[in-house]
Amino acid sequence: MKIEVVTLFPEMIAGALGFGIVGRALDRGLLNVGTEDPRAHTSDVHRTVDDRPYGGGPGMVLKPEPLLAAIRAAHARLPAGSPRIYLSAQGEPLGQAQARELAGLPGFLLVAGRYEGLDERVVELGIDRELSIGDYVLSGGELPALVVIDTVARLLPGALGDERSNVEESFVAGLLDWPHYTRPELFEGLAVPPVLLSGNHADIRRWRLQQAIARTWERRPDLLPRGTKATPFGSPQSKAPQATFDDRTRGALAPEVSRLLSEFLAARAPGTEDRG
Ligand code: 4FV
């Protein structure tokens, strides 16, 4: 996998990559990350990359000439067909599905903005897709670019110590993660749930999925498939609602998750006072 990042702060990207799973993926040659600085595509003595916005208003805008030249220079170093992605708050939300999609590519280009962002004509001429890491405004696109590199790197075959981590990971099934415990068994008076000490892998798996389902229900019902969150607490049409799943969750876990989710919902259907 080859990634190029267009950024005014190449050292910010290089400096953050050499650690943990991403660092190991780089060392193992699973991933190669290059950078391109738009300042290298300026011709004036001040190496100017920004200018005042047409129409007035606060802040500065990145000049189109050095940005588009940098995008073209970096894109030329990538495998044919590599998408050019601009990190911006106006982009499509980055999720595990997008991360999986990018991890399946031979390469891609990330454009990190600064100031108020790119001249829109650079987006028209040099960008294929916009991605956002969240609904908040950052001072630059470098941290979002590093987020994309991190979430993609760990999906590359051979990047994780144990590939199961990727398969078993709850987000793969569209749920939040289950709680994790390690030694000691008793910590400041708090014990590890006995099922995790039982050695009964079927029970452990069931408990973990039940925990993931309950947490998702309580904290992120928006992640649950349509139709399952409509009747949490006894609205008229809620006979023990059947969970429906979109394709993504029809992975290895889906049958088990759908059965446990239906059990979870049935236990909350009207008349079952245990709102636990
Ligand atoms: C952002 C986000 C983001 C906007 C102006 C960079 C900043 C500055 N990128 N997800 N949220 N970008 O806030 O991706 O140029």
Side-chain angles (χ1 to χ4, degrees), residues 4-59:
E4 286 283 346
V5 184
V6 170
T7 169
L8 293 170
F9 300 109
E11 63 283 7
M12 192 175 168
I13 301 295
L17 287 180
F19 307 91
I21 290 169
V22 178
R24 195 171 55 200
L26 290 164
D27 296 346
R28 290 178 176 174
L30 304 173
L31 175 64
N32 173 283
V33 179
T35 58
E36 185 72 25
D37 184 344
R39 284 194 199 283
H41 299 271
T42 58
S43 48
D44 66 308
V45 65
H46 301 297
R47 306 177 89 209
T48 307
V49 292
D50 63 318
D51 201 346
R52 288 179 295 103
Y54 276 119

Side-chain angles (χ1 to χ4, degrees), residues 87-89 113-117 131-134 136-141 144:
L87 290 309
S88 89
R114 279 276 157 176
Y115 310 106
E116 299 310 308
L131 282 179
S132 170
I133 65 165
Y136 38 79
V137 179
L138 299 163
S139 58

Side-chain angles (χ1 to χ4, degrees), residues 175 178 203-216 260 263-264:
L175 299 171
W178 47 69
D203 287 357
I204 291 168
R205 186 179 178 75
R206 178 185 172 79
W207 178 86
R208 282 176 167 168
L209 285 173
Q210 286 171 328
Q211 291 290 316
I213 287 166
R215 285 174 154 205
T216 308
L260 290 169
E263 275 176 24
F264 177 85

Side-chain angles (χ1 to χ4, degrees), residues 4 52 66 76 84 88-89 105 113 124 126-127 132 136 154 177 208 211 224 252 256 276:
E4 286 283 346
R52 288 179 295 103
R84 302 161 298 175
S88 89
L105 298 172
E124 283 165 46
I127 297 293
S132 170
Y136 38 79
R154 60 191 308 294
D177 212 358
R208 282 176 167 168
Q211 291 290 316
L224 290 171
E256 202 174 0

Side-chain angles (χ1 to χ4, degrees), residues 118-256:
L118 299 183
D119 181 296
E120 194 59 24
R121 294 165 291 183
V122 173
V123 177
E124 283 165 46
L125 294 165
I127 297 293
D128 304 304
R129 186 174 186 184
E130 290 190 46
L131 282 179
S132 170
I133 65 165
D135 299 337
Y136 38 79
V137 179
L138 299 163
S139 58
E142 284 77 15
L143 293 175
L146 289 165
V147 166
V148 171
I149 293 170
D150 189 296
T151 192
V152 166
R154 60 191 308 294
L155 292 173
L156 300 175
L160 294 181
D162 181 338
E163 291 307 318
R164 280 181 309 160
S165 308
N166 264 335
V167 177
E168 286 218 349
E169 193 155 77
S170 54
F171 250 116
V172 171
L175 299 171
L176 297 185
D177 212 358
W178 47 69
H180 301 285
Y181 297 84
T182 188
R183 287 180 294 193
E185 265 183 46
L186 194 60
F187 178 66
E188 299 204 1
L190 298 179
V192 171
V195 64
L196 298 179
L197 310 173
S198 70
N200 180 323
H201 295 295
D203 287 357
I204 291 168
R205 186 179 178 75
R206 178 185 172 79
W207 178 86
R208 282 176 167 168
L209 285 173
Q210 286 171 328
Q211 291 290 316
I213 287 166
R215 285 174 154 205
T216 308
W217 173 269
E218 278 131 22
R219 303 179 189 185
R220 293 289 311 278
D222 58 293
L223 289 175
L224 290 171
R226 283 174 311 292
T228 59
K229 46 185 179 294
T231 61
F233 297 109
S235 53
Q237 83 280 8
S238 61
K239 60 185 183 350
Q242 289 313 303
T244 54
F245 290 98
D246 61 20
D247 300 345
R248 178 165 51 77
T249 52
R250 246 172 245 303
L253 281 177
E256 202 174 0

